[in-house]
Amino acid sequence: MRVKPLPLGFVFRSRAKEEKAPAADKAPVSISKQSRDPQAPKGRPTPKRSEAQSQRRSVATTPTNRKDAAKRQREERRVAMERQRQALANGDERYLPARDKGPVRRFARDFIDSRFNIAEFFLPMAVVILVLTMVRVGYMQQVALLLWLVVIVLIVLDSVLSGFRLRKRLAERFPGQNTKGAVAYGLMRSLQMRRLRLPKPQVKRGERP
């Protein structure tokens, strides 16, 4: 019996194409009805306009190298120092240094600023006493020494009295709260001249805080 030869196309045809064809026919065609922003990552919903703008701004402001990062840090420090300087002048609690923040520290400042403190006149009195000690006269030097003793005693007595009153007022104004360090903070402030104090005084002399 004579065998009929097979066509060459049947022998050399690609099996891969035949295997891929049914798979391609069976694959479901899915058409997304939701439009996607070209800038949105694949598989995620389109971001809102405000979110996209904020992302673009953050990317634009992100430093690309060490020099830009250092420049940005210097600018941020400059802005922070300027805010702190203004806060020390007007008493804005938001930008004050940590040691000056809080109602307890503010009350201590107002208590000291509302009264006369002998310690705040120590610097001008010290200059006068120093001049007297330079005079080559015996009794003048004795007077200068006596003034030194009087000034020191008055400052100590006034500081003790101020500390006692401040501690009492703090206990009345802030019962049960932590007032640790507030008395020492106020006494250190009393050693400075009124015009040189930082933060700047926010109360007048004789005004009850």
Side-chain angles (χ1 to χ4, degrees):
M1 182 176 180
R2 186 176 181 181
V3 180
K4 187 177 181 180
L6 294 175
L8 294 177
F10 179 80
V11 176
F12 296 102
R13 65 181 176 178
S14 175
R15 294 185 178 181
K17 292 182 179 181
E18 292 182 355
E19 293 177 355
K20 291 181 180 179
D25 295 338
K26 295 179 181 180
V29 179
S30 60
I31 301 176
S32 176
K33 296 182 179 180
Q34 182 179 1
S35 60
R36 186 177 66 84
D37 190 351
Q39 297 180 354
K42 294 183 179 180
R44 299 181 183 178
T46 303
K48 296 181 181 180
R49 178 175 297 180
S50 60
E51 296 177 355
Q53 291 177 353
S54 63
Q55 291 176 359
R56 285 194 294 268
R57 284 196 297 267
S58 63
V59 172
T61 57
T62 301
T64 56
N65 52 45
R66 184 176 299 178
K67 183 178 179 181
D68 293 341
K71 183 178 180 181
R72 182 177 180 179
Q73 290 178 357
R74 288 195 300 269
E75 181 65 19
E76 291 176 352
R77 285 197 298 268
R78 187 190 66 79
V79 173
M81 292 297 295
E82 178 63 21
R83 288 178 177 176
Q84 187 177 104
R85 186 187 65 80
Q86 294 179 0
L88 291 172
N90 56 30
D92 191 349
E93 288 281 344
R94 295 175 298 173
Y95 305 113
L96 285 176
R99 66 181 182 87
D100 298 315
K101 283 185 177 181
V104 174
R105 296 300 175 95
R106 183 180 182 89
F107 180 84
R109 291 197 302 270
D110 293 343
F111 178 86
I112 296 298
D113 295 337
S114 64
R115 60 192 302 274
F116 285 94
N117 303 277
I118 298 178
E120 66 181 286
F121 302 106
F122 172 77
L123 185 59
M125 289 188 294
V127 173
V128 173
I129 295 173
L130 182 60
V131 172
L132 292 177
T133 57
M134 296 176 64
V135 177
R136 298 299 180 181
V137 180
Y139 76 92
M140 293 296 293
Q141 293 183 352
Q142 294 178 0
V143 170
L145 180 60
L146 181 61
L147 285 176
W148 269 120
L149 294 176
V150 172
V151 168
I152 292 174
V153 170
L154 290 177
I155 290 177
V156 171
L157 291 177
D158 184 63
S159 299
V160 171
L161 184 61
S162 298
F164 177 78
R165 291 178 176 176
L166 178 57
R167 183 177 285 103
K168 183 179 179 181
R169 293 291 305 278
L170 287 171
E172 294 174 354
R173 181 65 66 89
F174 306 98
Q177 297 188 28
N178 184 16
T179 59
K180 183 179 179 180
V183 176
Y185 173 78
L187 293 179
M188 289 298 296
R189 185 175 178 84
S190 68
L191 296 174
Q192 302 171 350
M193 298 180 66
R194 182 180 174 88
R195 67 178 61 185
L196 301 179
R197 293 172 182 171
L198 292 175
K200 294 291 185 181
Q202 302 296 317
V203 297
K204 299 179 180 180
R205 301 268 196 189
E207 183 179 351
R208 187 179 179 87

